[in-house]
Amino acid sequence: MSLEVDSHNYDPENLSHLTKEELISIILDLKDQNVKRKKLTRKTKPKRNIDFSKYHKRHVVFKLLYLGWDYHGFATQENSEKTIEHELFRALTMCCLIESRQTSNYHRCGRTDKGVSSFSQAISLTVRSSGDDSNELPYCKMLNRILPKDIRIVAWSPVKEDFSARFDCGSRTYKYWFPRGDLDVDLMNQGLQHVIGTHDFRNLCKMDVANGVVQFYRRITSADIKICAENNQFSTNRDYDMCELTIVGKAFLWHQIRCIVSVLILVGSRKENENIFKDLLDVENCPRKPQYCLASDLPLNLFDCQFENVNWVIEDESISEVITSLQCSWATHMIKATMLGEMLKNTETLVENKINNQSKWLIQGVHSKIYQPLLKRPASASLENRIQYYTKKGKLKLECNEK
């Protein structure tokens, strides 16, 4: 039922004759008008303009962590604001630490993809400074007040003017977590040993020839898988234990880690022999990449970036807030995981045969009922054909694009 009340005639005498429903309608109408009035009269706070030439500056490197699950990647994109860099530069400009990205001498250590997280990403740039080393601006506190909770500045350090978070990084460590399920971890470790050393990884990455990447030699210094957490909720079932893949190298190619993980899962599930890595790295006998799906982005993490002569400054108040925030997130996800675990334990009693599909979801795409070995699958175009194609189109940019 609709109540029509003259909202311009609210004197006490008229109000005393109205029903309860009519009075409620008037109150709601006044509330709605008040909200609209506030929106119309609300003044936008003028942007703070400062003359950066009047302030001291210093070149610094920031260490940050982020949960990339809900972001479209680290690097800024033209068609999306949901990136880590977008949030970083929004905070940097709001704090008036930089005038613009273009004038900040900015470099990033790694360019993680959509859904990928980092515990130790690093960026270097020139920022506003107090000019007093003993009383520098509280950079972490300033930025964390503006950044989303899933992006946190952990520490900072003063560095030389020519320091680059990208080119001065000595090594990068990636980690990938996954449930054991029915995977043979020992077999996976045997296969993983083939990727250690310097190899042409064109068959274990996404070739980015259009952006000038025409050589795919990279060096992996170490790689291994271990059981990192035994799930005591399933005390009699070790298939719910969590595994941790660690890979260390100086630089990595686009999707290199996720391609390696994808093939590792095939080895661990005994669909491929552990020597498949040796075959894929032999580009003379296997010059074209077989078609296979990528491993999930969710478990991948840029875990550590190593630099020489960088002395990190930890702000006590800020790091305490970071830890508290992470503890809240951990508690939230652990509660959900525990509830799901109890559901699984109860549901598994309803079937006679054991089901171990905890790791099945790691490889994206449709799973064929009849498995076709990698080396017998259709293959993508060769590197030479790709170079010829993009050269003919005039789109080949000979630039280095390491990550």
Side-chain angles (χ1 to χ4, degrees):
M1 181 178 69
S2 170
L3 293 171
E4 294 188 6
V5 180
D6 185 1
S7 59
H8 300 287
N9 194 10
Y10 290 158
D11 61 87
E13 184 178 353
N14 287 332
L15 291 174
S16 64
H17 296 292
L18 298 178
T19 65
K20 179 180 178 181
E21 288 77 10
E22 289 172 331
L23 290 171
I24 292 173
S25 178
I26 289 175
I27 292 171
L28 294 175
D29 180 65
L30 288 171
K31 183 179 179 181
D32 184 61
Q33 289 182 30
N34 190 44
V35 170
K36 291 179 179 178
R37 191 179 297 112
K38 284 184 177 180
K39 287 183 177 179
L40 290 172
T41 59
R42 184 181 297 157
K43 294 182 179 180
T44 303
K45 186 177 180 180
K47 184 180 178 182
R48 180 186 173 194
N49 292 317
I50 67 172
D51 185 354
F52 281 88
S53 64
K54 296 180 179 179
Y55 288 85
H56 295 280
K57 294 180 181 179
R58 79 184 314 165
H59 200 53
V60 302
V61 56
F62 288 122
K63 178 187 286 190
L64 60 144
L65 61 82
Y66 52 86
L67 299 173
W69 306 325
D70 297 325
Y71 290 89
H72 296 164
F74 185 85
T76 300
Q77 299 177 20
E78 292 183 1
N79 58 351
S80 174
E81 293 185 349
K82 197 64 176 176
T83 65
I84 308 297
E85 272 188 349
H86 174 83
E87 295 293 347
L88 285 173
F89 279 100
R90 183 179 70 88
L92 286 163
T93 52
M94 285 185 68
C95 290
C96 295
L97 290 179
I98 63 170
E99 188 171 9
S100 68
R101 173 172 177 163
Q102 292 73 23
T103 60
S104 65
N105 190 17
Y106 169 75
H107 289 271
R108 59 192 172 219
C109 182
R111 190 188 61 195
T112 53
D113 295 321
K114 181 178 182 290
V116 179
S117 302
S118 178
F119 293 172
S120 190
Q121 173 70 282
I123 61 170
S124 58
L125 72 171
T126 300
V127 295
R128 179 167 59 92
S129 169
S130 68
D132 183 357
D133 289 349
S134 62
N135 188 30
E136 185 53 278
L137 297 174
Y139 292 124
C140 298
K141 181 180 179 180
M142 292 171 67
L143 292 169
N144 286 340
R145 286 171 58 186
I146 299 174
L147 287 167
K149 289 292 184 182
D150 48 9
I151 305 174
R152 300 282 88 180
I153 306 297
V154 178
W156 70 276
S157 174
V159 289
K160 295 180 180 180
E161 286 296 325
D162 60 352
F163 178 91
S164 166
R166 176 185 177 188
F167 297 110
D168 287 310
C169 181
S171 70
R172 296 167 173 85
T173 298
Y174 279 89
K175 287 184 182 286
Y176 194 99
W177 287 275
F178 59 93
R180 187 208 300 255
D182 61 350
L183 299 175
D184 187 330
V185 176
D186 292 333
L187 201 61
M188 295 170 76
N189 263 320
Q190 292 177 35
L192 193 57
Q193 300 313 301
H194 292 296
V195 306
I196 297 176
T198 303
H199 304 283
D200 187 324
F201 284 94
R202 69 179 68 180
N203 291 327
L204 289 166
C205 74
K206 184 172 182 179
M207 287 195 284
D208 197 16
V209 176
N211 284 320
V213 182
V214 294
Q215 71 87 11
F216 297 88
Y217 280 93
R218 296 293 184 273
R219 178 173 177 77
I220 292 179
T221 55
S222 65
D224 74 298
I225 301 173
K226 65 179 181 181
I227 306 298
C228 68
E230 294 185 352
N231 194 324
N232 294 324
Q233 191 176 10
F234 298 86
S235 55
T236 60
N237 188 351
R238 298 273 58 94
D239 301 317
Y240 285 94
D241 292 345
M242 290 300 295
C243 303
E244 177 185 272
L245 163 67
T246 304
I247 296 184
V248 182
K250 184 172 176 60
F252 292 88
L253 295 158
W254 191 12
H255 288 169
Q256 184 178 353
I257 307 293
R258 291 170 65 190
C259 284
I260 290 174
V261 172
S262 183
V263 177
L264 272 176
I265 299 299
L266 297 176
V267 173
S269 57
R270 301 177 186 83
K271 293 179 179 178
E272 292 288 343
N273 186 279
E274 66 269 21
N275 290 320
I276 185 63
F277 284 104
K278 189 176 180 180
D279 296 330
L280 292 173
L281 292 171
D282 183 358
V283 294
E284 289 189 7
N285 292 320
C286 186
R288 299 166 61 201
K289 177 185 175 183
Q291 294 179 4
Y292 58 88
C293 296
L294 275 177
S296 171
D297 50 39
L298 185 144
L300 183 56
N301 189 284
L302 175 55
F303 187 77
D304 191 25
C305 302
Q306 287 291 324
F307 299 95
E308 292 184 359
N309 303 320
V310 171
N311 299 312
W312 296 108
V313 176
I314 307 294
E315 299 174 7
D316 292 339
E317 181 183 350
S318 181
I319 200 65
S320 296
E321 182 276 328
V322 171
I323 292 172
T324 300
S325 178
L326 288 173
Q327 287 174 337
C328 292
S329 295
W330 173 86
T332 300
H333 289 286
M334 279 304 297
I335 290 169
K336 292 179 180 180
T338 302
M339 292 174 68
L340 288 170
E342 291 303 309
M343 290 180 188
L344 276 168
K345 285 167 65 177
N346 291 332
T347 308
E348 286 175 348
T349 62
L350 304 177
V351 295
E352 294 183 3
N353 298 323
K354 193 176 181 181
I355 300 174
N356 286 331
N357 289 328
Q358 297 93 332
S359 57
K360 186 176 181 180
W361 65 276
L362 287 170
I363 297 183
Q364 301 175 338
V366 179
H367 295 263
S368 176
K369 292 182 178 179
I370 301 176
Y371 182 76
Q372 186 177 19
L374 281 179
L375 298 182
K376 293 184 179 180
R377 296 184 187 184
S380 59
S382 68
L383 173 60
E384 291 72 21
N385 285 341
R386 289 170 185 262
I387 293 174
Q388 185 179 18
Y389 172 82
Y390 286 108
T391 302
K392 187 180 294 185
K393 291 282 186 179
K395 296 180 179 180
L396 186 58
K397 305 172 184 177
L398 294 178
E399 298 175 356
C400 179
N401 195 30
E402 294 182 0
K403 297 171 70 175

